[in-house]
Amino acid sequence: MKNLIVICSILLALNVNARYVNGTVYDENGQTLAGVNVVIKGTTTGTTTDLNGFYSIEVPGEKTVLVFSFVGFETQEIQVGARKIIDVTMGGATELQEVVVPVTGKPEREKKALGYNISHDMAASGAAMRSMYQPAYEVDYHNTEEYSTIRENGFRKVLDHALSTFSIDVDAASYSNMRRFINNGQLPPKDAVRIEEMINYFNYEYENPTGKDPFSINTEVSRAPWNEKHLIAQIGLQGKKIDLDDLPASNIVFLLDVSGSMSAPNKLPLLKSAFKLLVNELRPQDKVSIVVYAGAAGVVLQPTDGNDKKKIMDALDQLQAGGSTAGGAGIQLAYKLAKEQFVKGGNNRVVLATDGDFNVGASSNAEMERLIEEKRKEGVFLTVLGFGMGNYKDSKMETLADKGNGNYAYIDNMKEAKKVLVNEFGGTMFTIAKDVKIQVEFNPSVVQAYRLIGYENRMLNDEDFNDDKKDAGELGSGHTVTALYEIIPVGVESEFVKDIDPLKYQSNNQQTTTSTDELLTVKFRYKEPDGDTSKLITQVVQNEIGKSSANLDWSMAVAGFGMLLRDSEFKGDLSYEDVLSLAKSAKGKDAFGYRAEFIELVDLASAMNTRQ
């Protein structure tokens, strides 16, 4: 009896320490490797990496050693330790000799002996193994992607328009979508380039908030790199960073598009791998449900505790693509389930993953907008994750996120999935302030004209600033938000400042101050995540022009790149070389390599532009 108790105690201890480890396997060139064998040393328990190089495996404890092997590469053994994510670079690739593996007559028990899925019916070469993960169909290059038209903000005279009002935007989908185009050898369509989303793809070294407000305000003024007579005023927000352990319990509904349009490898297969990363971040107090939609909508996973990761991942593994796309029905069902499991004071959120190609039921942008606005009132937030290419409906997904108290990202590879769902988990999943609005008043004594760079689809009427019924953007834990104003000082002659005829019934000159000490005053309004009444913050920006910081230089480099991609009339004499020089000087800390990647993208775009 005593021995039985000891054995049970050991088994219980092993089970307590068990957890999932996942990661991505790359070759030395940074390309993901499909079909890599990942096995727990000394056992037959293992898995293989999928077409995106992603793997997920349950390990019994910190002393577990994982063995990574792949034909033509040196085998690696790595101890798990306390890590939940282990990315591996396979080195030592060698030229392969032709090897033929006879399959005929192999006993069935031998085929199953390894205990994990590896095809024995293929030649044992890296090329053959990779072919397991290539689509077995001709790719249709007929492009039906949709983007909302962007009419770039122009300069406005301060005497005619003293106020500029807009909603914040923490979306970053435009940047990763732009990257997809460039990496595929073409420049993106102009309307696919939203400059504010490119700027806000990156984090900045702003001061952390110290007071009762959930974010700090950081401002700076310097010269514009594309026009030395103009100024750039930067307004930066830094959201309060909340430790994962201190975040409220989550009630999350995965709403997954499994229609026929999601069958491509960069859609549903990538989606499933990406969501496994998110599952690994869940805590025991969190709950997850899964709703899928194709020709109809249905629940494939009832609310499940966050520590039952195997059950959640098994449900993901079972998903297959097929049928039409009843997105409206899926949204209705997902919000219904989220409402039934609503956690008061918690994080209640629907996470929608789709290519946006809705074609059954409510499907137009207007219909989806009305539907999502209605659901927003129920206190459930929305995260939209876009996948795929060719039929990608960016305009529809941007509308859903904007109107649904949400955020929007485009997942083009596993690195981006890791950025959005792991590295920035708190910012993506946990809102610390909602309906955040910014209103700037410019001093006509020193500012002749101004324009907001980007945010074209986030502009508000001036009276909307004080109207708490007007929806605006959300700020997540640890998020940074940056806005840039290009300013033409008083006395500077500019082709962008045009006079109008004198008014008959009032004076054109409405200037009421002669003070030149202040450049502008910026006001912010925000609500608590569960609040209905906004709070006001005001900050004055002095008329002081200094040497630009790395924060400002980087944001100006990204904005400049966006203007070049859009062939903006405001880009002045800016060149790709100027953007590269500015970006390299301001690269700074780059723990995840996002800024180095940006510099590579600018270099690639420059080469493509030269060829045109």
Side-chain angles (χ1 to χ4, degrees), residues 338-607:
K339 192 65 176 175
E340 290 173 355
Q341 300 295 318
F342 194 87
V343 178
K344 189 174 182 181
N347 173 42
N348 299 280
R349 184 174 296 270
V350 170
V351 182
L352 168 63
T354 177
D355 59 12
D357 195 7
F358 303 157
N359 53 31
V360 175
S363 59
S364 72
N365 285 10
E367 286 176 311
M368 299 307 295
E369 183 174 331
R370 286 191 291 270
L371 174 61
I372 212 71
E373 282 180 332
E374 175 188 333
K375 296 302 179 185
R376 182 182 70 208
K377 300 172 185 175
E378 298 178 357
V380 177
F381 290 87
L382 176 68
T383 291
V384 179
L385 303 178
F387 290 82
M389 57 186 289
N391 66 330
Y392 188 63
K393 304 297 187 258
D394 173 84
S395 59
K396 190 171 273 87
M397 288 185 284
E398 186 191 13
T399 295
L400 290 174
D402 288 353
K403 302 300 180 182
N405 275 355
N407 46 51
Y408 168 35
Y410 174 76
I411 309 296
D412 56 333
N413 55 46
M414 283 302 294
K415 287 183 179 179
E416 185 65 16
K418 185 178 176 183
K419 176 182 186 291
V420 173
L421 301 175
V422 178
N423 300 344
E424 299 175 3
F425 176 75
T428 302
M429 293 293 157
F430 294 88
T431 298
I432 59 173
K434 70 177 183 180
D435 293 342
V436 184
K437 307 171 189 174
I438 298 177
Q439 186 170 77
V440 179
E441 180 180 358
F442 293 89
N443 181 357
S445 295
V446 292
V447 178
Q448 180 182 186
Y450 64 87
R451 76 178 191 96
L452 177 60
I453 300 176
Y455 293 91
E456 284 84 3
N457 56 6
R458 294 295 185 133
M459 300 306 295
L460 299 173
N461 296 326
D462 293 338
E463 60 270 22
D464 293 341
F465 183 74
N466 293 323
D467 185 354
D468 282 350
K469 294 179 182 179
K470 282 292 181 180
D471 180 54
E474 281 62 52
L475 185 67
S477 170
H479 260 157
T480 61
V481 177
T482 300
L484 301 179
Y485 278 97
E486 183 173 0
I487 292 172
I488 302 176
V490 167
V492 172
E493 292 187 7
S494 173
E495 61 180 303
F496 300 117
V497 179
K498 297 177 173 47
D499 291 326
I500 61 174
D501 291 339
L503 297 178
K504 180 178 180 180
Y505 299 108
Q506 67 186 65
S507 170
N508 288 76
N509 188 351
Q510 303 170 28
Q511 184 170 339
T512 59
T513 178
T514 57
S515 171
T516 59
D517 294 336
E518 298 178 2
L519 183 72
L520 58 88
T521 297
V522 57
K523 297 188 290 186
F524 304 83
R525 281 197 179 275
Y526 74 93
K527 299 174 188 171
E528 300 289 344
D530 57 354
D532 296 317
T533 304
S534 65
K535 299 179 180 179
L536 175 66
I537 308 174
T538 300
Q539 183 161 316
V540 173
V541 177
Q542 298 298 321
N543 184 24
E544 297 173 354
I545 304 168
K547 186 180 183 304
S548 55
S549 68
N551 279 334
L552 180 51
D553 281 344
W554 184 264
S555 63
M556 289 192 297
V558 179
F561 184 42
M563 288 194 288
L564 289 172
L565 291 176
R566 290 189 54 81
D567 192 24
S568 168
E569 65 174 306
F570 305 111
K571 67 181 183 298
D573 56 4
L574 187 71
S575 67
Y576 284 98
E577 289 72 24
D578 294 331
V579 172
L580 281 170
S581 176
L582 191 59
K584 288 176 181 178
S585 70
K587 179 183 172 186
K589 296 179 182 178
D590 190 27
F592 299 108
Y594 304 145
R595 297 192 173 200
E597 179 189 58
F598 171 81
I599 292 171
E600 291 176 3
L601 290 174
V602 176
D603 206 20
L604 286 171
S606 176

Side-chain angles (χ1 to χ4, degrees), residues 151-200:
R151 292 181 175 83
E152 206 168 2
N153 290 329
F155 281 97
R156 310 187 85 185
K157 292 180 67 175
V158 175
L159 290 177
D160 299 326
H161 305 280
L163 298 176
S164 173
T165 310
F166 65 101
S167 160
I168 69 162
D169 184 1
V170 296
D171 298 345
S174 179
Y175 181 88
S176 47
N177 190 33
M178 170 274 297
R179 176 180 62 207
R180 183 253 300 186
F181 275 100
I182 292 177
N183 283 335
N184 286 344
Q186 63 182 119
L187 296 176
K190 291 181 181 180
D191 290 329
V193 179
R194 294 187 288 274
I195 295 178
E196 76 281 2
E197 294 188 20
M198 292 178 60
I199 294 171
N200 288 324

Side-chain angles (χ1 to χ4, degrees), residues 180-420:
R180 183 253 300 186
F181 275 100
I182 292 177
N183 283 335
N184 286 344
Q186 63 182 119
L187 296 176
K190 291 181 181 180
D191 290 329
V193 179
R194 294 187 288 274
I195 295 178
E196 76 281 2
E197 294 188 20
M198 292 178 60
I199 294 171
N200 288 324
Y201 182 85
F202 301 95
N203 286 321
Y204 297 86
E205 296 294 322
Y206 295 141
E207 292 184 7
N208 289 316
T210 55
K212 59 182 180 179
D213 295 312
F215 54 84
S216 66
I217 301 166
N218 305 264
T219 58
E220 186 177 351
V221 182
S222 191
R223 296 285 177 188
W226 49 84
N227 191 325
E228 62 180 12
K229 294 181 180 179
H230 293 187
L231 305 178
I232 294 293
Q234 182 183 61
I235 300 169
L237 303 183
Q238 173 64 64
K240 186 174 292 184
K241 299 173 184 175
I242 304 175
D243 290 337
L244 183 62
D245 293 340
D246 297 329
L247 291 170
S250 291
N251 159 39
I252 301 176
V253 179
F254 293 169
L255 175 56
L256 310 181
D257 182 351
V258 295
S259 63
S261 68
M262 291 291 289
S263 60
N266 61 356
K267 293 187 179 182
L268 186 59
L270 176 58
L271 181 159
K272 290 157 69 172
S273 298
F275 272 74
K276 288 178 181 178
L277 293 178
L278 174 55
V279 170
N280 215 40
E281 297 300 304
L282 299 174
R283 305 160 300 171
Q285 63 266 40
D286 300 327
K287 285 189 180 295
V288 167
S289 314
I290 300 179
V291 172
V292 298
Y293 64 90
V299 179
V300 298
L301 181 70
Q302 293 293 338
T304 301
D305 290 344
N307 59 350
D308 197 349
K309 293 177 172 47
K310 186 176 186 304
K311 183 177 179 181
I312 302 171
M313 291 189 181
D314 285 347
L316 289 170
D317 285 334
Q318 297 302 313
L319 300 181
Q320 295 182 342
S324 53
T325 318
I331 290 172
Q332 294 274 16
L333 182 57
Y335 273 89
K336 179 176 181 291
L337 194 56
K339 192 65 176 175
E340 290 173 355
Q341 300 295 318
F342 194 87
V343 178
K344 189 174 182 181
N347 173 42
N348 299 280
R349 184 174 296 270
V350 170
V351 182
L352 168 63
T354 177
D355 59 12
D357 195 7
F358 303 157
N359 53 31
V360 175
S363 59
S364 72
N365 285 10
E367 286 176 311
M368 299 307 295
E369 183 174 331
R370 286 191 291 270
L371 174 61
I372 212 71
E373 282 180 332
E374 175 188 333
K375 296 302 179 185
R376 182 182 70 208
K377 300 172 185 175
E378 298 178 357
V380 177
F381 290 87
L382 176 68
T383 291
V384 179
L385 303 178
F387 290 82
M389 57 186 289
N391 66 330
Y392 188 63
K393 304 297 187 258
D394 173 84
S395 59
K396 190 171 273 87
M397 288 185 284
E398 186 191 13
T399 295
L400 290 174
D402 288 353
K403 302 300 180 182
N405 275 355
N407 46 51
Y408 168 35
Y410 174 76
I411 309 296
D412 56 333
N413 55 46
M414 283 302 294
K415 287 183 179 179
E416 185 65 16
K418 185 178 176 183
K419 176 182 186 291
V420 173

